[in-house]
Amino acid sequence: MKLLTYVENGMEKVGVLSACGAYVYPVNYASMNELIKNACPNCLKNMAELANKPHNEVENAVLLENIQLIAPIPEPMQDIVCLGVNYADHAEESARFKKQAYAKDSPKQTVYFSKRVNRAVAPYGDIPAHEDLTSQLDYEAELVVIIGKDAKNVRPEEVQDHIFGYTIMNDVTAREVQNGHKQWYFGKSLDGFTPIGPWIVTKDEIAYPPQLNIQSKVNGELRQNSNTSLFLTNIEEWMVELSQGMTLKAGTLVATGTPAGVGMGFVPPNFLKVGDEVECIIEGIGSIRNKIVK
């Protein structure tokens, strides 16, 4: 099923998308974080059954087109955990742009970093250009894994049990800020740099491990075109490794990296400018579209 957060009559609500995709059915949780943390298996089963009901049998059902869709988790409880250069072709284009910043000793050496997000951008919201800080504004389509229960010392056979679902993120980046500071936190964490959505697809809807087509387009031009089967570090590997030394709390978002085709990978680089529209698309989930604004 698809779970989403939306605004109706000025109030943020959590809902489930109807099976037909046209309606939203509200559910009784104050936030998506609360749902992920507290919804029992039977509660999720009931929500899945709700999604399959005709809209005229559901109290307070609303048309999707009549509500304001916002990021499924508008305010993550912690920084987003991110994997860097997790596709071989992106590792190559990144090293070509600035070798000392992106080169790894080994293809299997995992790069971890975090991304601050005070409030995630809506799936069709605007991305601020931050022209006072960057002229190298870039995009990165990424599959995000949402942790469903606290993950500590997870064994390989337990990984799937700790996944709640999946969504899409554009890991917007100011390249010269990212590279100039010799670490990636600031250049990826400016306000408005985290569009997420359009909803969370629960894990039962996507075969494990996810082998999903992932794309991005800028002004309709296809830029990235790959598949999540090409991860250098897969979900099982990073969850097992990270959970040996830290607890991944329920609701944690883990962004799994981006494939080749980002702006810095072009020769010469092809960065975003005000007025551009970026679309990030992942098979089985949907797409997000965001415009660059002053």
Side-chain angles (χ1 to χ4, degrees), residues 39-65:
C40 63
N42 194 50
C43 297
L44 294 173
K45 179 183 177 182
N46 290 340
M47 281 186 272
E49 291 173 351
L50 175 66
N52 286 303
K53 288 187 176 181
H55 71 275
N56 56 3
E57 296 181 9
V58 179
E59 186 178 1
N60 299 322
V62 292
L63 278 166
L64 178 63
E65 63 185 30

Side-chain angles (χ1 to χ4, degrees), residues 72 142-144 146 165-169 196-200 282 285:
E142 305 205 16
L143 175 70
V144 172
I146 298 100
Y166 306 91
T167 192
I168 303 169
M169 183 179 86
I196 300 175
W199 34 62
I200 295 171
I282 298 182
I285 301 176

Side-chain angles (χ1 to χ4, degrees), residues 142-210:
E142 305 205 16
L143 175 70
V144 172
V145 177
I146 298 100
I147 302 298
K149 63 179 182 179
D150 290 1
K152 179 66 175 177
N153 295 321
V154 177
R155 297 190 298 270
E157 63 271 18
E158 299 172 331
V159 166
Q160 292 183 62
D161 192 41
H162 285 78
I163 297 172
F164 181 81
Y166 306 91
T167 192
I168 303 169
M169 183 179 86
N170 184 351
D171 182 16
V172 183
T173 306
R175 293 298 181 195
E176 73 271 66
V177 179
Q178 174 191 15
N179 297 323
H181 284 272
K182 308 301 180 186
Q183 48 73 39
W184 300 357
Y185 188 70
F186 185 30
K188 288 178 172 286
S189 299
L190 303 185
D191 289 345
F193 270 20
T194 314
I196 300 175
W199 34 62
I200 295 171
V201 178
T202 51
K203 65 180 179 182
D204 56 297
E205 296 289 322
I206 293 177
Y208 183 88

Side-chain angles (χ1 to χ4, degrees), residues 23-286:
Y23 291 86
V24 176
Y25 304 155
V27 294
N28 193 27
Y29 291 91
S31 68
M32 191 68 74
N33 282 324
E34 181 188 319
L35 187 157
I36 293 168
K37 185 176 181 180
N38 295 316
C40 63
N42 194 50
C43 297
L44 294 173
K45 179 183 177 182
N46 290 340
M47 281 186 272
E49 291 173 351
L50 175 66
N52 286 303
K53 288 187 176 181
H55 71 275
N56 56 3
E57 296 181 9
V58 179
E59 186 178 1
N60 299 322
V62 292
L63 278 166
L64 178 63
E65 63 185 30
N66 290 342
I67 54 96
Q68 177 190 349
L69 199 60
I70 60 177
I73 302 179
E75 296 180 355
M77 294 181 295
Q78 297 178 310
D79 287 358
I80 297 172
V81 179
C82 303
L83 277 69
V85 288
N86 198 30
Y87 292 76
D89 54 4
H90 178 59
E92 292 172 5
E93 70 176 2
S94 300
R96 184 172 63 244
F97 179 74
K98 195 174 182 68
K99 185 174 182 179
Q100 66 186 48
Y102 298 100
K104 301 195 293 183
D105 294 334
S106 163
K108 291 301 293 182
Q109 182 184 53
T110 307
V111 174
Y112 297 113
F113 63 96
S114 62
K115 183 178 180 81
R116 168 76 55 159
V117 50
N118 289 322
R119 187 168 177 88
V121 175
Y124 312 115
D126 294 333
I127 299 169
H130 287 285
E131 292 179 308
D132 56 332
L133 289 174
T134 181
S135 61
Q136 297 183 352
L137 188 65
D138 214 344
Y139 54 90
E140 296 187 2
E142 305 205 16
L143 175 70
V144 172
V145 177
I146 298 100
I147 302 298
K149 63 179 182 179
D150 290 1
K152 179 66 175 177
N153 295 321
V154 177
R155 297 190 298 270
E157 63 271 18
E158 299 172 331
V159 166
Q160 292 183 62
D161 192 41
H162 285 78
I163 297 172
F164 181 81
Y166 306 91
T167 192
I168 303 169
M169 183 179 86
N170 184 351
D171 182 16
V172 183
T173 306
R175 293 298 181 195
E176 73 271 66
V177 179
Q178 174 191 15
N179 297 323
H181 284 272
K182 308 301 180 186
Q183 48 73 39
W184 300 357
Y185 188 70
F186 185 30
K188 288 178 172 286
S189 299
L190 303 185
D191 289 345
F193 270 20
T194 314
I196 300 175
W199 34 62
I200 295 171
V201 178
T202 51
K203 65 180 179 182
D204 56 297
E205 296 289 322
I206 293 177
Y208 183 88
Q211 298 183 12
L212 308 173
N213 293 327
I214 178 170
Q215 299 177 323
S216 71
K217 297 179 181 179
V218 177
N219 302 325
E221 176 193 359
L222 183 64
R223 295 285 185 88
Q224 295 177 280
N225 189 19
S226 188
N227 191 282
T228 61
S229 63
L230 299 176
F231 290 149
L232 294 177
T233 300
N234 62 37
I235 295 172
E236 180 179 299
E237 291 169 328
W238 60 250
M239 191 182 297
V240 169
E241 181 173 54
L242 287 176
S243 70
Q244 303 314 302
M246 66 165 95
T247 301
L248 300 173
K249 289 185 173 294
T252 297
L253 281 72
V254 182
T256 55
T258 200
V262 301
M264 71 173 177
F266 285 77
V267 182
N270 194 358
F271 294 116
L272 298 170
K273 59 185 184 300
V274 171
D276 285 345
E277 183 179 75
V278 184
E279 183 177 16
C280 298
I281 309 146
I282 298 182
E283 177 187 6
I285 301 176

